[in-house]
């Protein structure tokens, strides 16, 4: 049975949608243009479009079918997902292009900007999962616009104040969407939520469609994690795809095993599995820039699935009773906990890869050693291009030091009335003299 909304909803939803869409059309007509550069990160349209389509399938079909597990809200949830995704993506394109408009007078639109906008939309869809079944379409549209605004602002602050890479800041969409959604469900809490809602019932048909959405997400998650990786570093992109797939595979097996162990009858729990099977992809997406070995991604996938499964079993009811947060889709265990785990792994691997933390002040430049330091935060060098760039900087420093020594050597030689045409001999003379050999 479809949910029955108040009669006044019809008079509010249509004017709101028409007003917002008209405003978007005016903004796009005055301040946007198609980017004339046919290449994005070294790739042309033909190479980048399949990755854009993968992300589009995840946002539209993956999250759409994932929202169909509620009996009274199932098919409506899929339609609401498409409505929210369409509105939020347009708004995200505008907000992400403000900087381009400020410097160039126009918002440049290309496939990369659309992908970034859809990833911002994914954060909004994660937030909506916490209030699914308790809000009407007007609420969902307003929530999505507000959440996308907050996420873009958070991304700008991370990149500007903390010098976080764009890819790393966007991948925090899981954590941001979860926390934003928990805040919403706390504000929408009402008495009686401790008891099971009649709207929360699900049956075999709705569960089947929901599992289909999980399969779509599981299939295309490697593209989701690797789409923003620079294609000019193919090793990094291949590592992101392989690491994400391995983490997803390990998390699927772990979720199945823990599901059997936690079931009194020893049966698989498909609801638990579809909520925890994606945990590995979430955790690896947050920590992807510091993962170099396949076994690292597999351990992260195993840990994320275990934490997600335990959280789904015990944390949802405790969040409701203790903090009055009714999480409809268990977003905290699906996206929040794995995202926090991935952030923690990212921090620990960065610290591990720094060769010597006590000699930071003695470095000639933040890029001289095997780890970079920006605003006190170590950053791992994980691409061949960056290694070559760092090596060239080190070579320049050695050459400058050699020239400085050569100049001092020349003065010393002149003072000792020595002549030679070999700069190496001059430098060797000075070094030997320094150590008392001459």
């Amino acid at each position: 049975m479809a949910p029955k909304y108040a009669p006044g909803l019809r008079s509010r939803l249509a004017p709101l949608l028409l007003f917002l869409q008209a405003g978007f059309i005016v903004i796009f007509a005055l301040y946007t243009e198609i980017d004339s550069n046919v290449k994005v990160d070294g790739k042309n349209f033909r190479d980048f479009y399949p990755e854009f389509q993968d992300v589009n399938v995840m946002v539209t079909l993956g999250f759409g079918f994932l929202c169909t597990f509620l009996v009274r809200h199932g098919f409506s949830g899929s339609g609401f997902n498409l409505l929210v995704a369409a509105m939020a993506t347009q708004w995200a394109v505008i907000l992400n292009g403000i900087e381009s408009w400020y410097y160039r007078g126009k918002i440049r639109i290309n496939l990369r900007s659309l992908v970034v906008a859809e990833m911002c939309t994914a954060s909004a869809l994660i937030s909506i999962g916490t209030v699914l079944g308790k809000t009407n379409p007007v609420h969902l549209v307003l929530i999505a616009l507000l959440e996308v605004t907050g996420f873009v602002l958070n991304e700008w602050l991370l990149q500007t104040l903390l010098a976080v890479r764009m890819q790393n800041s966007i991948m925090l969409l899981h954590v941001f969407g979860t926390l934003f959604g928990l805040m919403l469900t706390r504000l929408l809490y009402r008495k009686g939520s401790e008891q099971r809602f009649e709207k929360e019932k699900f049956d075999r048909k709705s569960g089947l469609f929901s599992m289909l959405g999980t399969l779509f997400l599981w299939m295309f998650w490697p593209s989701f994690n690797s789409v923003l990786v620079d294609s000019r570093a193919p090793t990094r992109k291949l590592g992101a795809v392989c690491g994400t797939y391995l983490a997803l595979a390990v998390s699927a097996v772990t979720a199945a095993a823990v599901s059997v162990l936690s079931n009194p009858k020893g049966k698989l729990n498909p609801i638990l599995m579809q909520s925890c099977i994606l945990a590995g992809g979430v955790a690896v997406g947050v920590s992807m820039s510091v993962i170099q070995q396949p076994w690292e991604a597999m351990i992260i996938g195993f840990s994320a699935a275990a934490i997600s499964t335990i959280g789904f079993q015990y944390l949802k009811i405790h969040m409701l009773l203790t903090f009055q947060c009714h999480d409809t889709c268990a977003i905290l265990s699906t996206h929040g906990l794995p995202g926090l785990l991935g952030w923690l792994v990212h921090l620990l691997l960065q610290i591990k890869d720094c060769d010597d933390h006590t000699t930071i002040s003695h470095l000639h430049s933040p890029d001289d050693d095997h780890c970079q330091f920006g605003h006190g935060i170590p950053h791992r060098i994980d691409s061949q291009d960056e290694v070559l760039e760092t090596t060239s900087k080190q070579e320049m420093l050695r050459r400058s030091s050699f020239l400085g020594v050569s100049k001092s050597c020349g003065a010393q030689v002149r003072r000792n009335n020595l002549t030679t045409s070999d700069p190496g001999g001059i430098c060797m003379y000075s070094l030997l003299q320094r150590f008392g050999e001459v």
Side-chain angles (χ1 to χ4, degrees):
M1 179 179 180
K4 296 180 180 180
Y5 300 110
L9 177 63
R10 181 178 180 181
S11 62
R12 294 193 301 267
L13 179 59
L16 174 65
L17 295 179
L18 293 176
F19 173 77
L20 292 175
Q21 190 58 69
F24 291 161
I25 291 175
V26 172
I27 294 175
F28 273 78
L30 297 178
Y31 301 107
T32 63
E33 64 180 6
I34 302 298
D35 195 351
S36 58
N37 187 10
V38 295
K39 288 191 175 182
V40 180
D41 292 339
K43 295 190 298 185
N44 54 30
F45 175 84
R46 183 180 60 184
D47 297 331
F48 196 81
Y49 183 75
E51 297 181 346
F52 160 75
Q53 200 164 12
D54 291 347
V55 177
N56 196 26
V57 169
M58 286 185 62
V59 172
T60 306
L61 296 180
F63 285 102
F65 283 118
L66 196 64
C67 297
T68 60
F69 72 97
L70 297 177
V71 174
R72 294 189 58 188
H73 199 78
F75 298 106
S76 298
S78 180
F80 294 161
N81 177 86
L82 179 60
L83 172 63
V84 169
M87 298 297 294
T89 302
Q90 297 178 68
W91 182 233
V93 169
I94 296 173
L95 293 180
N96 289 323
I98 289 179
E99 185 176 0
S100 175
W101 168 80
Y102 180 79
Y103 289 106
R104 302 177 181 176
K106 289 289 185 178
I107 298 175
R108 301 287 182 88
I109 300 179
N110 52 28
L111 285 181
R112 183 182 179 87
S113 64
L114 293 180
V115 167
V116 173
E118 289 202 325
M119 298 184 84
C120 298
T121 301
S123 180
L125 297 177
I126 292 172
S127 301
I128 288 175
T130 60
V131 296
L132 191 65
K134 298 175 287 186
T135 51
N136 58 45
V138 175
H139 295 151
L140 296 180
V141 172
L142 296 178
I143 288 172
L145 298 181
L146 180 62
E147 201 276 344
V148 168
T149 304
F151 180 75
V152 172
L153 178 60
N154 177 75
E155 177 191 349
W156 179 82
L157 291 175
L158 289 175
Q159 296 178 14
T160 304
L161 300 182
L162 300 179
V164 178
R165 290 184 177 184
M166 177 182 179
Q167 177 186 348
N168 295 339
S169 62
I170 289 181
M171 280 304 169
L172 290 176
L173 63 93
H174 306 283
V175 179
F176 186 89
T178 300
L179 297 179
F180 190 89
L182 292 177
M183 180 191 67
L184 285 176
T185 189
R186 175 65 180 85
L187 296 176
L188 296 177
Y189 174 83
R190 66 178 185 270
K191 293 182 179 180
S193 295
E194 295 84 358
Q195 300 178 357
R196 185 178 179 86
F197 286 132
E198 190 270 338
K199 291 183 179 180
E200 283 190 305
K201 292 182 179 180
F202 56 88
D203 58 8
R204 182 175 300 178
K205 181 175 66 175
S206 61
L208 179 61
F209 276 99
S210 181
M211 192 64 186
L212 182 62
T214 304
L215 294 178
F216 273 115
L217 294 175
W218 197 92
M219 290 171 56
F220 294 107
W221 207 282
S223 298
F224 187 80
N225 282 349
S226 63
V227 65
L228 295 181
V229 177
D230 194 349
S231 61
R232 288 169 292 189
T235 304
R236 288 187 59 198
K237 201 171 190 66
L238 178 61
V241 173
C242 295
T244 303
Y245 179 82
L246 291 175
L248 287 170
V250 172
S251 64
V253 176
T254 305
V258 177
S259 173
V260 172
L261 292 176
S262 60
N263 193 309
K265 298 182 179 180
K267 296 182 179 180
L268 288 174
N269 186 352
I271 301 299
L272 187 147
M273 283 190 60
Q274 75 178 31
S275 298
C276 307
I277 199 174
L278 303 173
V282 173
V284 169
V286 177
S287 59
M288 178 177 52
S289 61
V290 295
I291 297 176
Q292 291 185 342
Q293 301 298 331
W295 62 267
E296 294 177 349
M298 298 175 75
I299 291 178
I300 293 174
F302 177 85
S303 304
I307 293 176
S308 178
T309 306
I310 296 174
F312 182 87
Q313 288 279 58
Y314 306 106
L315 192 58
K316 182 177 179 180
I317 185 64
H318 288 292
M319 288 291 295
L320 176 60
L321 298 178
T322 306
F323 301 102
Q324 298 178 345
C325 295
H326 180 260
D327 188 0
T328 304
C329 297
I331 296 301
L332 179 60
S333 59
T334 305
H335 296 271
L337 296 180
L340 293 175
L341 175 65
W343 176 83
L344 180 61
V345 170
H346 188 282
L347 180 62
L348 293 178
L349 289 180
Q350 279 186 333
I351 296 175
K352 181 181 73 71
D353 288 341
C354 293
D355 292 338
D356 189 1
H357 312 295
T358 61
T359 59
I360 298 175
S361 59
H362 302 290
L363 296 177
H364 295 283
S365 171
D367 298 327
D368 292 344
D369 210 333
H370 293 292
C371 60
Q372 299 176 340
F373 294 87
H375 300 277
I377 300 176
H379 182 73
R380 183 176 186 173
I381 298 177
D382 51 5
S383 69
Q384 297 176 352
D385 297 337
E386 292 173 331
V387 172
L388 293 176
E389 181 181 359
T390 305
T391 306
S392 63
K393 290 182 180 179
Q394 292 175 344
E395 183 65 25
M396 291 176 63
L397 287 173
R398 285 195 292 268
R399 289 182 180 180
S400 63
S401 301
F402 172 79
L403 291 176
V405 173
S406 299
K407 290 181 180 179
S408 62
C409 294
Q412 184 69 27
V413 169
R414 286 192 296 271
R415 284 196 295 269
N416 290 275
N417 297 322
L418 297 175
T419 59
T420 179
S421 59
D422 184 13
I426 295 176
C427 191
M428 182 61 67
Y429 174 86
S430 177
L431 292 177
L432 291 174
Q433 187 181 34
R434 259 183 216 182
F435 288 96
E437 299 293 336
V438 177

